[in-house]
Amino acid sequence: MTVETPSTAEALRLANASTTAEVLRLANAIQEAAQRLAALRDESSPDDVLSEHEQLRQQLIGRMAHASRLLQNPIDYLKGLTQGGALDVGVVRALVLLGVPKAVPLTGGIPLEALAGTVKVDVSTLGRLLDYAGTLGLFTVSDEQLVRHSRLSAGLAQGTYAPIVEWDVTIPPVSALRLYEALRANGNCEGAERASFQFGMETNETFYEWHKANPKYAAFFRLGMESEKEDPRTAPQNLARIYDWTVFDGKTVIDLGGSTGHVARLVADKYPGIDWIIQDLPETIKPLPPSDRANMRFEEHDFFHTQPRSVDGYFLRYIFHNWADSDCRRILAGLKPALRPGARLLVAEMVQPVPTAAREDGWVEERLFTRRDMQMMSYVGAHERTVDEYRRLVDGVIPGLRFLGCHKPMGSTVGILEWIYTAE
Ligand SMILES: C[S@@+](CC[C@H](N)C(=O)[O-])C[C@H]1O[C@@H](n2cnc3c(N)ncnc32)[C@H](O)[C@@H]1O
C-alpha cells in the first residue's frame, strides 16, 4: 500500500488551517481572561506575591504574544528581531542619553522644535526618532508637533526605573551583542573573565572590577537591585512571607554576602527574635554606618575563605547566581567546616519556573527567568539554575546537607531552597 504524501500546497493549507484554529483558540482564551480581569479589582501591592489580577494580566500578555507570533510570517518576524530589535535599543538609547524623557513634561507637552533645541538635535531628525519610538508605544507627537509622554515612556522620566535606565542602555546591549565573540574565544562564558561584558565594553576588567572603577554605574546597579522590591515577582518582602522564620527564634543567622542588610531587615521587621550577622566584603561593610538594631551587626568576611562562625542558619540571597559552578563550590567549601548538625542553609534565588499546562500562560515568567539567565551569562559568566541544579551543586560539596524543599509560592519567581545539616 502506498502512503500519499501531501503536496506542498496541501501541506501549506493544512498548516494554515491549524494556525487559524490555534489563533481562534487563543482569541477565545484571551477574551475569557480579559473578561475575568475586567471583573476584578487590582488589589496587588508590592507586599503581595502575585495577586489574581496580576496573574491574569501575565496570562493575557503571554496569550497575546503567542497569538501575535502565530500570525507572523517568518521573514517579517525574523527581521523584526534582528533589524527591529537592534533599532529598538538604539533609538531608546539615543533618546535616553540625549535627555529626551526628562525634557518632555509629564503633563501637557512640549513643541518638537523647543525639544530639539533643548537636546541639541535637529528637528526633523528628532521627529523621525520619535516616530520610531511611537511604534514602540513611547511618546506621542501630535499633528501640531506637540511631543507628549505616553504611559510607558513616562517610566523613563519618573519612578524607580528612570534613575537606572542609563545603566540599562549602556551595559546590557553591548554585552548581549558580543555573546558570539565570547563564545567563539572560549567555547563558553563560564566565569567572570569569560563573560561577553568584557568584549562589549572593550575592557580587560570583569564586570565587578569595572564597576568598582566606575562608581556612577555601580550606584545605578545598586539602585537597580533595590528596585526589585517594587516588583511582586521578585520583591524581597516576599522572603519574610514564604518561609516560617520562627525556626530561628532566639538563634543566629548569617546573611552571607548580605550587602547593606536590606533583606535581613525586612525579615527582622516581621521576626524580631533572630540575631543577624551580615557578612560582606570590606568595601561594602566599611562605609556602612553602625547598625541601628541591637539584633543586627555587620562583619567583614570573604565567602571564598573559611567561615569563622558556627551559627544556626546561613542565608544566601542572589549569591550563587552570580558565580559559575566552580566558584559556587568554593563558596560551599568555605562554609562546610562551620556547619554543625541542625544548622540550616537557606538559598534565595530565582528558580526555573515549572512549565504551565498551556505554555503561553507561563511565557512572561519563562521570559523573565531566561532573560536573567542570559544576563548572568553575559555580565558575569554565571547561571540561573533549576532546583535540581542547586541540589546537585550543594550535594556535590556538602553531602551532609539534606534538602528540605523549595518554598516558592505561585507567582513569585524567587524561591527559598532549604537544607539542614546532618553529620556526614
Ligand atoms: C548580588 S549582591 C546580593 C546582595 C544581597 N544578598 C541581596 O540579596 O541584595 C552580591 C553580594 O555579594 C557580595 N560579595 C561579592 N563577593 C563577595 C565575597 N567574596 N565575599 C563576601 N561577599 C561578597 C557583594 O558585595 C554583594 O553585596
Side-chain angles (χ1 to χ4, degrees):
M1 185 178 124
T2 55
V3 178
E4 295 255 335
T5 50
S7 66
T8 311
E10 177 64 1
L12 256 180
R13 194 188 64 73
L14 289 173
N16 283 340
S18 79
T19 302
T20 310
E22 179 64 357
V23 170
L24 261 177
R25 178 190 73 78
L26 282 163
N28 287 331
I30 289 166
Q31 188 183 23
E32 175 262 336
Q35 279 168 344
R36 277 201 291 142
L37 189 68
L40 272 180
R41 275 194 313 132
D42 180 3
E43 285 171 343
S44 62
S45 87
D47 282 343
D48 272 342
V49 175
L50 292 197
S51 62
E52 192 185 351
H53 186 280
E54 182 58 18
Q55 289 175 41
L56 268 176
R57 202 177 64 84
Q58 290 193 20
Q59 272 182 5
L60 261 173
I61 294 172
R63 288 172 189 180
M64 288 160 93
H66 192 61
S68 149
R69 278 196 301 277
L70 280 172
L71 291 167
Q72 301 265 359
N73 81 49
I75 294 178
D76 274 354
Y77 179 69
L78 295 170
K79 281 189 178 174
L81 283 184
T82 51
Q83 302 181 6
L87 279 166
D88 294 354
V89 180
V91 169
V92 170
R93 177 172 184 272
L95 293 172
V96 164
L97 297 182
L98 286 168
V100 170
K102 295 252 161 60
V104 175
L106 287 164
T107 51
I110 178 171
L112 179 62
E113 196 166 345
L115 180 62
T118 305
V119 302
K120 300 188 179 57
V121 174
D122 75 57
V123 183
S124 79
T125 306
L126 183 61
R128 289 163 62 199
L129 288 167
L130 287 169
D131 283 346
Y132 186 93
T135 67
L136 300 173
L138 302 174
F139 305 100
T140 61
V141 185
S142 69
D143 291 344
E144 296 76 35
Q145 302 290 283
L146 198 65
V147 183
R148 290 192 173 88
H149 267 298
S150 66
R151 181 178 67 83
L152 297 176
S153 70
L156 298 170
Q158 68 173 2
T160 47
Y161 189 56
I164 52 178
V165 62
E166 188 176 333
W167 192 93
D168 273 14
V169 297
T170 305
I171 288 157
V174 291
S175 303
L177 271 181
R178 305 302 295 278
L179 267 169
Y180 165 75
E181 283 75 8
L183 292 168
R184 197 63 300 135
N186 300 311
N188 63 35
C189 288
E190 283 287 298
E193 312 71 29
R194 295 176 162 211
S196 53
F197 167 86
Q198 283 164 310
F199 288 85
M201 297 299 285
E202 296 176 355
T203 172
N204 290 325
E205 291 172 320
T206 64
F207 181 91
Y208 303 114
E209 292 160 347
W210 186 88
H211 278 83
K212 225 187 247 183
N214 290 278
K216 175 176 148 188
Y217 286 88
F220 289 148
F221 186 67
R222 266 197 306 278
L223 268 178
M225 293 291 301
E226 281 170 23
S227 73
E228 280 215 333
K229 61 176 176 281
E230 311 289 332
D231 183 341
R233 294 167 300 189
T234 50
Q237 301 92 301
N238 290 339
L239 300 177
R241 309 167 79 236
I242 64 180
Y243 180 73
D244 181 4
W245 293 83
T246 52
V247 290
F248 296 115
D249 225 8
K251 299 185 171 170
T252 303
V253 178
I254 287 181
D255 185 356
L256 192 56
S259 187
T260 56
H262 67 111
V263 180
R265 233 169 254 275
L266 291 167
V267 179
D269 285 344
K270 204 160 171 211
Y271 297 90
I274 305 171
D275 267 324
W276 286 92
I277 302 173
I278 316 294
Q279 293 181 335
D280 209 296
L281 291 171
E283 59 260 34
T284 305
I285 298 293
K286 278 207 172 83
L288 295 177
S291 169
D292 54 351
R293 298 186 184 211
N295 63 348
M296 193 171 287
R297 64 202 152 104
F298 294 100
E299 186 170 270
E300 294 175 15
H301 172 63
D302 180 335
F303 51 50
F304 289 115
H305 295 168
T306 303
Q307 174 57 244
R309 293 185 185 279
S310 291
V311 297
D312 307 287
Y314 299 87
F315 174 61
L316 290 82
R317 175 177 181 264
Y318 290 173
I319 300 301
F320 288 131
H321 85 148
N322 280 334
W323 299 96
D325 286 357
S326 53
D327 293 316
C328 294
R329 285 189 207 101
R330 288 170 54 217
I331 296 172
L332 286 162
L335 208 50
K336 191 174 175 180
L339 295 177
R340 299 287 171 265
R344 285 168 203 255
L345 171 68
L346 299 182
V347 172
E349 293 283 0
M350 194 176 262
V351 287
Q352 187 157 34
V354 179
T356 45
R359 189 154 181 215
E360 64 272 10
D361 286 353
W363 180 80
V364 170
E365 195 179 350
E366 193 184 343
R367 275 291 280 177
L368 193 68
F369 179 83
T370 53
R371 186 172 85 204
R372 261 270 276 262
D373 186 42
M374 287 297 109
Q375 286 171 334
M376 299 322 292
M377 180 193 283
S378 59
Y379 303 160
V380 290
H383 293 239
E384 298 296 341
R385 298 178 174 86
T386 62
V387 172
D388 282 347
E389 283 167 338
Y390 278 113
R391 290 184 68 174
R392 278 199 294 277
L393 199 58
V394 170
D395 195 47
V397 183
I398 318 179
L401 274 170
R402 183 161 59 84
F403 185 63
L404 294 181
C406 174
H407 309 264
K408 178 178 176 274
M410 164 114 153
S412 169
T413 52
V414 177
I416 295 183
L417 292 93
E418 181 181 23
W419 288 260
I420 189 161
Y421 188 71
T422 52
E424 278 166 33

